[in-house]
Amino acid sequence: EKLLQSLDDGAIDFAIVESSFDQGRYESLLFSNEPIVAVCGTGYEAPEEMTLSELMRYRVIVRERHAGARRILEHKLAEQGYTLEHFPARYEVGSLSAVKGLACRDCGIAFLYEKSVQKELADGTLRRIVVKDFSVMHAFSFLWRKGSMYRALFTQIYDQLKD
């Protein structure tokens, strides 16, 4: 929302956003589709693979209410008939670092963008949990104000960033 407001105010020329936006006001290109994965610390007692209903037996660690990844997770859970309240316990924290820190300390299961936990998965401080009947993908869009005279420049920047 802050990025879209900055675009509208003319403070920035383009943005990469994870949220939905008014397609009538902005031109956009798909930047990437990113998976959100379930992770936990290596000492957390949870199987490496389970169903969504089995997952509901464990603590979950989530970002604050207005965080994009949390809204996406809540929407996907709702599609399956669940809410965050179905988990027996929830930790709600204000930053990605706090979510990762709690997960690394075996405090529960977190749902995070796979790219944001690549390092921790590689170095073994987090492990991935495969939820057999549940997957979350979300699009990131590169966008700018509709009708901008810099459209050609923005598409060049987009192409450079994609490489």
Side-chain angles (χ1 to χ4, degrees):
E1 291 172 4
K2 288 179 184 179
L3 288 173
L4 295 177
Q5 187 61 52
S6 293
L7 275 171
D8 292 341
D9 294 344
I12 61 174
D13 295 317
F14 60 87
I16 298 173
V17 299
E18 71 173 331
S19 62
S20 57
F21 55 89
D22 181 352
Q23 294 188 2
R25 295 175 65 181
Y26 307 99
E27 290 187 59
S28 67
L29 297 167
L30 176 64
F31 191 74
S32 67
N33 267 315
E34 299 297 330
I36 295 176
V37 297
V39 296
C40 66
T42 55
Y44 190 68
E45 294 199 23
E48 291 184 19
E49 193 173 299
M50 66 180 97
T51 65
L52 184 58
S53 64
E54 292 168 335
L55 182 72
M56 294 298 150
R57 299 180 196 145
Y58 298 90
R59 287 185 305 262
V60 67
I61 307 162
V62 294
R63 292 276 313 271
E64 72 276 5
R65 189 165 303 280
H66 299 293
R70 175 178 170 158
R71 287 193 314 242
I72 295 160
L73 173 63
E74 287 176 321
H75 177 74
K76 291 302 263 184
L77 286 171
E79 287 178 357
Q80 300 291 324
Y82 292 101
T83 68
L84 291 175
E85 285 71 36
H86 283 95
F87 289 93
R90 293 164 302 286
Y91 294 125
E92 183 175 313
V93 296
S95 73
L96 173 62
S97 297
V99 172
K100 286 200 275 188
L102 288 170
C104 287
R105 289 172 183 80
D106 301 325
C107 294
I109 296 171
F111 287 87
L112 297 166
Y113 283 110
E114 187 173 49
K115 282 192 176 180
S116 72
V117 292
Q118 280 179 329
K119 177 187 171 294
E120 293 82 0
L121 291 170
D123 70 18
T125 55
L126 286 177
R127 67 181 172 92
R128 184 175 179 167
I129 296 174
V130 175
V131 185
K132 294 185 266 191
D133 55 349
F134 186 71
S135 68
V136 183
M137 293 287 288
H138 190 67
F140 280 76
S141 299
F142 181 95
L143 55 87
W144 60 90
R145 289 185 308 267
K146 192 163 253 181
S148 172
M149 62 189 262
Y150 299 108
R151 182 184 198 285
L153 175 62
F154 297 150
T155 57
Q156 285 178 346
I157 293 169
Y158 167 84
D159 290 338
Q160 289 175 350
L161 291 172
K162 286 290 286 183
D163 290 339

